[in-house]
Each structure stands twice: as structure tokens, then as C-alpha cells.
Amino acid sequence: MRSAYWLADRPRVLYGALVLSIVALIAAVSFLIPTPYQMLLPGPVTDTNTLIEPRPEQTQGAFYLTSIYSDPASVAEWLYAQADPEAGLIPREQARPQHLSRQEYRELLDTMMDSSKTAARVVAFRAAGLEVTVGGQGTLIREVQEGSPAEGVVEVGDVVVSTEGQPVRTMDDLIAVIRAHRPGDRLSLEVRRDDATLALAVTLGESPEEQGRARMGVVIATYQLRYSFPRDLKVQSENLGGPSAGLMFALAIYNSLTPGDLTGGHRFAGTGSMATDGRIGAVGGVSYKVRAAEKAGAEYFLVPSDNADEARRAAHAIQVIPVSSFAEALPFIKQLPPVGEQAVASA
């Protein structure tokens, strides 16, 4: 038989259970209600040495690739971001171009990652003293400048495959031919336009920047650019996207190609896009990447010079190293004494 106390207290128990159920329901629903914001958090770090095949031998330190967590914020996540100093919120339109679907944006990030890996390989191989050859299927006309000699002759999308009877495989081939001529010279071109091959001619003008230098007046790129490397080397990038891993990939690739341990036992983290000439470009989300690097125990954070101020504001224990090129980053790393030697020197 139930006690009189339990019977008297039963309404309070039921009321408490009802309140808890309502609170739980509201909490669950809050994860389903979207907001117009994107939540940002420090993401995972990955030692790029582990993503290179063949893997660098006897590496004691690390070259950490840093990332950010970015996802559309629900009401619950929006509330969480108000309480967590490491979390951030930005309008969703700033996180992804609105004319792209999530799938299209994902594909764009994958393409940028592939370009980043290619540039990192080119830079690292050349820094290691290994030859990288460049090839292509012609020179693509990307822009025809208004009022230029090329206006009305070539069109955007044309591919120049020969000039003066000589094959054109890369944009450097066309540039070399133009520079070998003088203003007023007539240059013959063989151009692919859609499914047709056209024989065209353009009278070269004079460069406004340099007297006596011939100018065609187009913005060009190598069509179907490809690189040939003297060694097989693969870079894994599953579940990664965007251009910002270029610098750290290049360091790990260089470490794989050269003898010894480039890290010297140190733990480096960093970010930065990489061009094939070694220039390091600015990227987004640097403050979150700095925090991720500090959590991983990295000692140094290599950052594009244009992002240095943001990195310094976010840093607490880590040392921020601004770099504008691979040629700047590599000497800094090489001049650091290995970790064991540091311990002996300070003993």
C-alpha cells in the first residue's frame, strides 16, 4: 500500500516530470531550428608528414595542417557560441557564395585542394633541386583588353596552338614569341575556337609600361596545364578542402624528398595557400587555426604575412612566424637547432 506521503507528493512529481519533458523537447527542437548564421570553431590538426607517400623517414616533429569547423548554426549552436569564447558566428552568406549549392561549393573546395597539392609539389621538388617540367595543350585567351591590338582578332576562350609556324604548348611559349618581336610587327596565329581551327594575324602594339616592347593585349593561361615530376609522390587529402594547406604540404613534401629530419623534433603548425612560384597567399579563419595549433602543442605557427596581425591577436603561447614565400619559411626552419641540441645548450 502506497504511503499517504507519496500520494500527497504525487502532483509535484508529475509536474516536475512534465517540466523536464518540456525542457528536453525544447532543447531537442532547438537543434533543428536554423539561424542565418554559420558557426566557426577550431578544427582538427593533421601532421602532413603522415599524408605523404613515401612518408618522410625518422621524423620526430610535425608539420601540422590546421583547419576550422564550419557548419550552419542551429538555435542551440547559436546559444552555445554566445557562451564559448572560442566559437564564432558569421552571416551564412559570408561562408559560402550564395549562387553555389552546398554540393557545388564542396566541389569547388576539392578543386582548390587539388591545385594546392600540385603547387606544393612543384615548389618542394624545385626547392629540393629536382627538375619539374611544364606542359600544356596551348595558350588559353582568358581576357581581351579593350582597345588592345588583339581586340576583334581573338576571343575569350580561344586556344592559341601555334604562332609563326611554331607550336605553342604553354603561355610561356607565346610570351617568348611576342617578346622576340617589335611593336608594329604582324604576328600569325593558329587558333582553336570551338570545333574550328582558324588562321589569324594580329599587329602588335607597344607596351604602355616599357617603350619598345611589343604587346598583344590579352590575359592568358596555359591550356590543360600539366607538370611532370622525376619521382612518384602522393599527397593524401581525404575529407580536406580549400587552398590553405599548400604551405604545410610543401614542407612535408620537401621533408620526404631530402635527407634528414627537417622538423628537427619541433612541432610546426601553419596555414597559407601556395603558388607554383613559391608565393604564400592569405587565407581565412586564421584565429581559429592558431587556437587549434596551440591545443595540439605546436611551438611555431607559420602564417602568410598578410594574416600576421590576426594570428598574433589570437596567439597565447605559440610563436607566430609571418612568411610571404616558401623561400622565407624554409631558412627559418633550418636555422632552428634540433630539440636535443637545445636541451644540451640550455643545461
Side-chain angles (χ1 to χ4, degrees):
M1 181 176 178
R2 292 173 178 165
S3 68
Y5 174 81
W6 188 92
L7 292 172
D9 203 47
R10 185 177 181 184
R12 186 184 303 171
V13 172
L14 293 175
Y15 177 76
L18 178 61
V19 170
L20 289 175
S21 298
I22 292 173
V23 170
L25 179 62
I26 292 173
V29 170
S30 70
F31 280 96
L32 303 176
I33 301 174
T35 70
Y37 295 97
Q38 192 88 354
M39 185 170 74
L40 305 177
L41 283 166
V45 302
T46 305
D47 183 5
T48 50
N49 287 307
T50 67
L51 302 178
I52 307 301
E53 296 180 6
R55 185 176 296 187
E57 297 180 0
Q58 299 179 341
T59 296
Q60 301 300 313
F63 289 124
Y64 289 129
L65 175 160
T66 52
S67 65
I68 62 173
Y69 169 84
S70 175
D71 206 46
S74 65
V75 168
E77 289 166 323
W78 185 91
L79 292 170
Y80 173 84
Q82 307 306 310
D84 187 346
E86 290 195 345
L89 293 165
I90 60 172
R92 197 173 297 178
E93 60 268 18
Q94 293 181 15
R96 168 172 57 87
Q98 294 303 290
H99 66 281
L100 296 179
S101 67
R102 294 192 71 174
Q103 178 61 31
E104 289 170 335
Y105 186 54
R106 178 72 250 179
E107 291 172 357
L108 174 62
L109 292 177
D110 289 343
T111 299
M112 295 169 78
M113 171 58 74
D114 289 341
S115 297
S116 175
K117 292 193 297 185
T118 297
R121 291 174 69 199
V122 170
V123 170
F125 269 76
R126 287 175 173 168
L130 300 171
E131 184 179 3
V132 179
T133 57
V134 183
Q137 297 296 315
T139 296
L140 175 68
I141 305 297
R142 301 185 65 175
E143 180 184 335
V144 180
Q145 296 169 348
E146 186 176 354
S148 70
E151 187 176 24
V153 180
V154 296
E155 298 178 0
V156 173
D158 285 354
V159 178
V160 180
V161 294
S162 74
T163 177
E164 301 294 289
Q166 299 298 315
V168 171
R169 296 186 176 89
T170 70
M171 66 178 185
D172 290 336
D173 293 339
L174 181 58
I175 290 170
V177 171
I178 294 172
R179 288 182 176 174
H181 285 71
R182 297 183 59 80
D185 288 351
R186 190 172 174 82
L187 191 66
S188 64
L189 305 170
E190 184 178 344
V191 172
R192 284 205 308 267
R193 181 179 298 167
D194 299 325
D195 296 327
T197 300
L198 308 176
L200 306 175
V202 59
T203 300
L204 299 174
E206 185 174 50
S207 169
E209 289 90 19
E210 184 179 337
Q211 186 177 7
R213 181 160 68 87
R215 167 180 177 262
M216 186 171 163
V218 289
V219 176
I220 58 176
T222 298
Y223 181 64
Q224 294 187 352
L225 176 67
R226 65 180 184 275
Y227 295 94
S228 297
F229 298 91
R231 295 188 195 175
D232 289 333
L233 185 144
K234 295 181 180 179
V235 182
Q236 304 297 324
S237 60
E238 188 175 353
N239 299 323
L240 299 171
S244 64
L247 170 59
M248 304 315 289
F249 275 143
L251 290 169
I253 294 168
Y254 182 89
N255 197 24
S256 175
L257 295 173
T258 55
D261 178 11
L262 180 61
T263 71
H266 295 284
R267 288 172 291 178
F268 300 90
T271 188
S273 64
M274 177 68 68
T276 53
D277 63 1
R279 286 178 293 114
I280 298 169
V283 295
V286 168
S287 61
Y288 301 98
K289 295 174 182 179
V290 170
R291 293 171 195 148
E294 289 193 327
K295 286 183 177 181
E299 305 160 64
Y300 303 97
F301 190 82
L302 302 170
V303 64
S305 296
D306 290 342
N307 294 125
D309 289 343
E310 180 184 355
R312 290 191 182 102
R313 287 193 297 269
H316 294 95
I318 201 167
Q319 185 174 344
V320 174
I321 309 298
V323 287
S324 59
S325 68
F326 190 76
E328 285 184 12
L330 200 56
F332 169 78
I333 294 170
K334 287 184 174 182
Q335 59 86 32
L336 292 173
V339 169
E341 292 183 14
Q342 281 187 322
V344 171
S346 61

